[in-house]
Amino acid sequence: MLRDATINFDTTGTPPIAAGQAFAGKRMDDRKSAKPTPEAACEQTDWLVAVRDKRDKLAFARLYDHFSPRLKGMLVRSGMTQAAAEDVVQDVMLTIWRKAHLYDETRARASAWIYRIARNRQIDVIRRRPRPVPDELIAEAETRETREADAAIELEQEAAQLRQAIEALPEAQREIIERAYVGELTQAEIREATGLALGTIKSRIRLALEKLRHELRDLREE
Amino acid sequence: MTEITHHLPDWLVRSYATGSLGHAFSLVVAAHVSQCDECRARLEAEELAGGLVLDDLKGMAPSDDLRRRVFDGLDDDDAIVAEQPARAGIYPGAVVEAMGADSPRWRALGGGIKQAILSEDKEGSARLLYIPPGMAVPDHTHGGLELTLVLQGSFSDETGRFGVGDVEVADDDLDHTPIAGMEDVCICLAATDAPLKFKGLLPRLLQPIFRI
């Protein structure tokens, strides 16, 4: 059912604007196709960068106020008690503070990075064993400075288009996607309902990874 | 290093990102992503979508106590941040963690083939397989889904050749006979959500003993 409504975001290699146009011609209704064009990274990402670079507690407090209710809501919806959810939120917020040096705004918006930390911690707790996670690709400060400042903004533009695409979906399908990411669907249900392709965003992140690999190689050779 | 040509299917990357995958399959996803930038980018794209949903979610007010606990914790410099072990040789950090050591504790299965069980629970099991060059892994069919990630050497079966970093996804329909490449011992990480059923070599009755 969902498969029929699959959006094809897979426009690998084309610039973000062209991807948006290709998409608009497909299924998006004209009323909603005014293109969002962010000229800066989102404010949550700015706060997280301030926490990383300046150990800014005010920025951290803003992140806390924004994310802690959302994280608690997500964890409760995916089956935790309120008390257990708050324990996980506490660990997530402290992990954000302590591991901020690993955050790379050219590959992840703040909400994506925090989403991952929350899942990692939730699964550690539920399964009582560490969740298997990919080896970190470390982006230390010295390599980060050489990267294009535009990369985070371009990622933000991709994200705005994806958000718009999700909003343009029929209600039932949008609900399935929301439930999948909130954590309410089983592996089998997700296998049946792969209704959102992320090819353009994937390509953007892939570019950032290639740059990072390149810089890490240069560093090793110095 | 050879190029990775067999990747994770979308639904598996999404199931991992959303936290709905069991431990054994999660281990294969984490180990593959550790050496495949293409799938790392796909996983991070899934997380970006997850973050968008999180941003738009109707929240639930946290208690005042939570705020106090978090802000009291900021200055605790001694706090230990749990880290997954680093990669050791051919084994990604997630596999090192599951082995509980830097190398596997092999158990002989006969014919030079060895295995090391890494995890077993009601959702499935994960193990490492050691297959000498040119040896066939006993012909078997599956009761469910099986993921096999090559960590060293290669194997080939009816569906193609799998080198380092490649992952094979085999379901009920596949009745295959993987054979290790001649260039090296093939070491694989294999995970399944059902017990494997061997048709040859091992009589059914022996399965519980070998846990294979």
Side-chain angles (χ1 to χ4, degrees):
Chain A
M1 179 186 78
L2 268 171
R3 249 176 264 151
D4 297 334
T6 295
I7 304 173
N8 186 10
F9 247 71
D10 214 337
T11 46
T12 313
T14 48
I17 299 306
Q21 283 160 351
F23 177 73
K26 243 186 174 172
R27 202 170 264 274
M28 197 138 36
D29 126 36
D30 283 335
R31 261 181 308 118
K32 291 177 181 169
S33 65
K35 275 183 210 67
T37 49
E39 284 163 15
C42 71
E43 54 183 356
Q44 289 84 25
T45 293
D46 290 340
W47 297 335
L48 184 49
V49 168
V51 166
R52 182 190 69 199
D53 296 343
K54 300 183 207 139
R55 307 307 281 155
D56 182 337
K57 283 194 182 173
L58 185 62
F60 180 81
R62 289 184 166 138
L63 284 173
Y64 177 88
D65 290 337
H66 180 81
F67 283 108
S68 64
R70 289 171 172 80
L71 288 168
K72 182 178 174 184
M74 179 174 86
L75 295 165
V76 167
R77 272 181 66 179
S78 58
M80 300 191 104
T81 64
Q82 291 207 34
E86 290 210 348
D87 286 347
V88 170
V89 175
Q90 178 184 349
D91 292 339
V92 171
M93 293 311 302
L94 288 173
T95 302
I96 292 166
W97 180 252
R98 289 170 190 151
K99 288 195 164 179
H101 62 283
L102 293 174
Y103 175 64
D104 177 355
E105 73 272 30
T106 68
R107 275 159 60 200
R109 303 172 77 234
S111 63
W113 193 66
I114 291 170
Y115 178 84
R116 176 204 297 181
I117 291 173
R119 283 285 174 247
N120 287 351
R121 186 59 195 154
Q122 179 192 17
I123 289 165
D124 288 349
V125 168
I126 289 176
R127 296 187 182 271
R128 296 194 181 85
R129 65 191 300 177
R131 182 191 199 195
V133 295
D135 293 334
E136 286 275 3
L137 253 182
I138 312 274
E140 292 294 354
E142 64 266 38
T143 73
R144 198 182 291 124
E145 284 166 18
T146 65
R147 250 171 287 163
E148 292 165 51
D150 290 347
I153 294 164
E154 286 164 3
L155 187 65
E156 191 57 31
Q157 288 165 351
E158 303 284 359
Q161 289 184 4
L162 178 62
R163 182 192 294 274
Q164 202 177 50
I166 294 174
E167 280 167 5
L169 290 172
E171 178 69 27
Q173 200 185 344
R174 197 170 68 216
E175 194 182 292
I176 292 276
I177 283 166
E178 183 187 296
R179 291 184 60 212
Y181 288 107
V182 165
E184 292 179 327
L185 299 189
T186 64
Q187 170 195 318
E189 286 167 334
I190 287 178
R191 196 177 183 179
E192 282 302 304
T194 45
L196 190 70
L198 303 168
T200 328
I201 286 197
K202 190 263 314 181
S203 303
R204 174 72 50 200
I205 297 171
R206 184 85 162 88
L207 278 177
L209 284 171
E210 273 168 30
K211 280 193 184 125
L212 175 60
R213 290 272 185 210
H214 190 71
E215 284 154 15
L216 291 175
R217 222 175 4 250
D218 288 350
L219 270 186
R220 267 202 307 274
E221 283 164 9
E222 268 168 23
Chain B
M1 197 166 153
T2 51
E3 200 172 327
I4 295 172
T5 52
H6 299 271
H7 297 275
L8 299 165
D10 280 339
W11 69 267
L12 208 53
V13 179
R14 183 161 300 159
S15 298
Y16 177 87
T18 62
S20 62
L21 213 53
H23 184 269
F25 285 176
S26 294
L27 189 56
V28 176
V29 171
H32 175 79
V33 167
S34 293
Q35 47 206 338
C36 176
D37 281 353
E38 177 68 16
C39 289
R40 189 185 290 269
R42 290 165 63 209
L43 175 57
E44 291 179 0
E46 291 290 344
E47 289 166 342
L48 187 137
L52 285 178
V53 168
L54 178 64
D55 263 333
D56 288 344
L57 215 58
K58 209 181 285 160
M60 245 177 129
S63 63
D64 294 340
D65 182 52
L66 178 63
R67 190 182 184 91
R68 189 184 49 72
R69 276 152 56 197
V70 168
F71 285 82
D72 283 356
L74 293 188
D75 295 319
D76 183 3
D77 292 332
D78 298 331
I80 296 163
V81 182
E83 298 281 357
Q84 185 174 271
R87 181 182 184 88
I90 61 168
Y91 303 107
V95 175
V96 175
E97 169 85 50
M99 293 192 294
D102 280 358
S103 57
R105 281 185 276 275
W106 295 115
R107 298 274 182 274
L109 282 182
I113 296 171
K114 302 181 216 174
Q115 73 166 351
I117 308 265
L118 297 182
S119 79
E120 249 188 325
D121 59 31
K122 61 181 192 307
E123 287 173 293
S125 65
R127 69 219 155 98
L128 292 165
L129 284 172
Y130 176 107
I131 309 155
M135 280 291 297
V137 178
D139 187 22
H140 56 288
T141 53
H142 307 269
L145 190 73
E146 188 191 30
L147 307 178
T148 309
L149 171 70
V150 179
L151 299 174
Q152 175 185 297
S154 70
F155 72 80
S156 298
D157 69 10
E158 290 81 346
T159 67
R161 180 184 183 277
F162 296 81
V164 172
D166 282 333
V167 63
E168 181 179 56
V169 180
D171 63 15
D172 279 346
D173 306 332
L174 185 66
D175 188 356
H176 66 151
T177 312
I179 295 173
M182 293 306 293
E183 74 279 14
D184 199 351
V185 169
C186 176
I187 295 179
C188 302
L189 170 65
T192 173
D193 58 3
L196 294 182
K197 296 169 197 155
F198 277 75
K199 292 201 298 194
L201 194 70
L202 295 175
R204 278 267 172 101
L205 283 175
L206 285 181
Q207 277 189 44
I209 299 170
F210 283 109
R211 299 200 296 173
I212 191 164

